[in-house]
Amino acid sequence: MQYITEIHSYQSEKPTAVTLGKFEGLHRGHQKLIGKVREYASEDVKSVVCAFDMGKATLLTAREKRERLESRVDTMIACPFTKELREMEAEDFIKKILSKRFRAAYVVVGTDFRFGHGKRGDVDMLARYAGTCGYRLDVVEKERYKDRVISSTYVREALREGDAELANALLGYTYQVSGRVEHGKRLGRTLGFPTMNVAPPPEKVLPRFGVYACRIQVGQAWYPGIGNVGVKPTVAEEPKVLIEAYAFDFDGDVYGEEVTVEFYTFVRPEQKFASVEELKDRVDANIRYCREYFSRTGLA
């Protein structure tokens, strides 16, 4: 897959099947659009995903988005939403970007796609220019989950509530956070459950603070486990948001390495305990629950 970070850097003489949007979480609705682009693609028609980066906290980092699209489309453009794009008139976007730059043969968008200065451009405008600019417009209906449209906002709401199952159902994959393992106080090891202090990317949206049944990837191997998202109020001297993960049946040294934590189900909110002993008793119970969860669901 060709990966480009500037829309004007795209160069190809071949026509394209292109879809455009923020594609923040690459959820099931986004996957529907990308699936259509893949249907139109061929040896002579290149598949292009133009993902606008709005510079806000996001469900997928740029690297994660790239990894999820790798081998699925010919080109991904991670396009900053610059002043030039914000102020470009909608008609100019169609003529200069879609027609001239992308040589679009197929334009695939959702029903609410808006573009151009003041968001004047919409699917009706795209339809009006389709004939003169030589592309076929495919307006794809929204994907729904239990009668509600799937959106990045819906995913964020689910994560904010700690509803990992709902978030995963909307995404079509398991929500995950990757980060490097930092040195801690080694308290978990002392208490019998050696944990990894995973520093999340600053731009990554995190689930509700609390304890989750998780899977943890170390190297190429995945382990069932447990994770706490938050600031560890019982033992931390200074609040710092981390994911403290314990991978069952793993006891290696991974300091400085990157690991990935997948979230499956919410166990309890983060809380401050009166003592380390009380914390240990609760964590022991949470570990038992998570082991039973993975045994019962077969997700390990």
Side-chain angles (χ1 to χ4, degrees), residues 10 28 36 54 67 72 76 78 91 98 111-112 114 125 168 175 195 197 207 211 218 229 240 292-293 295 297-298:
Y10 182 79
R28 285 169 48 200
K36 282 290 183 182
M54 311 305 286
E67 289 173 349
R72 297 193 65 203
M76 174 189 169
E91 295 87 349
L98 291 180
T111 54
D112 62 349
R114 304 299 292 261
M125 182 182 287
N168 296 340
Y175 196 68
T195 57
N197 291 306
V211 176
V218 182
V229 181
K240 180 180 181 180
E292 292 169 1
Y293 170 83
S295 176
T297 59

Side-chain angles (χ1 to χ4, degrees), residues 166-266:
L166 175 57
N168 296 340
L170 301 175
L171 290 167
Y173 60 88
T174 307
Y175 196 68
Q176 60 181 224
V177 178
S178 298
R180 297 209 173 272
V181 178
E182 298 183 346
H183 285 279
K185 295 183 176 181
R186 293 179 174 263
L187 179 62
R189 186 173 295 276
T190 302
L191 297 178
F193 37 88
T195 57
M196 310 169 198
N197 291 306
V198 182
E203 72 272 26
K204 180 79 174 183
V205 171
L206 296 178
R208 176 187 178 186
F209 283 7
V211 176
Y212 294 82
C214 298
R215 287 204 317 156
I216 300 103
Q217 183 184 34
V218 182
Q220 298 301 310
W222 285 93
Y223 300 86
I226 187 171
N228 180 79
V229 181
V231 296
K232 299 191 288 187
T234 304
V235 297
E237 295 173 359
E238 296 182 5
K240 180 180 181 180
V241 177
L242 293 167
I243 300 169
E244 188 176 22
Y246 169 44
F248 303 152
D249 308 317
F250 175 82
D251 194 24
D253 184 353
V254 291
Y255 290 117
E257 295 183 24
E258 184 173 275
V259 301
T260 298
V261 181
E262 288 186 336
F263 298 90
Y264 282 85
T265 193
F266 186 72

Side-chain angles (χ1 to χ4, degrees), residues 49-66:
V49 172
C50 186
F52 296 111
D53 180 3
M54 311 305 286
K56 300 176 181 178
T58 184
L59 297 169
L60 285 179
T61 65
R63 191 189 75 176
E64 289 171 331
K65 200 174 292 185
R66 179 178 182 176

Side-chain angles (χ1 to χ4, degrees), residues 72-130:
R72 297 193 65 203
V73 294
D74 294 311
T75 301
M76 174 189 169
I77 304 172
C79 181
F81 198 61
T82 60
K83 183 175 184 288
E84 178 191 3
L85 284 174
R86 283 197 307 273
E87 296 181 354
M88 184 180 292
E89 292 299 333
E91 295 87 349
D92 288 336
F93 185 85
I94 294 172
K95 296 172 185 176
K96 295 179 180 179
I97 303 299
L98 291 180
S99 182
K100 187 175 180 180
R101 176 66 56 185
F102 290 147
R103 301 177 185 272
Y106 303 91
V107 176
V108 180
V109 294
T111 54
D112 62 349
F113 179 65
R114 304 299 292 261
F115 62 99
H117 187 225
K119 296 184 178 180
R120 284 182 49 247
D122 57 13
V123 294
D124 290 334
M125 182 182 287
L126 285 171
R128 289 199 302 272
Y129 277 85

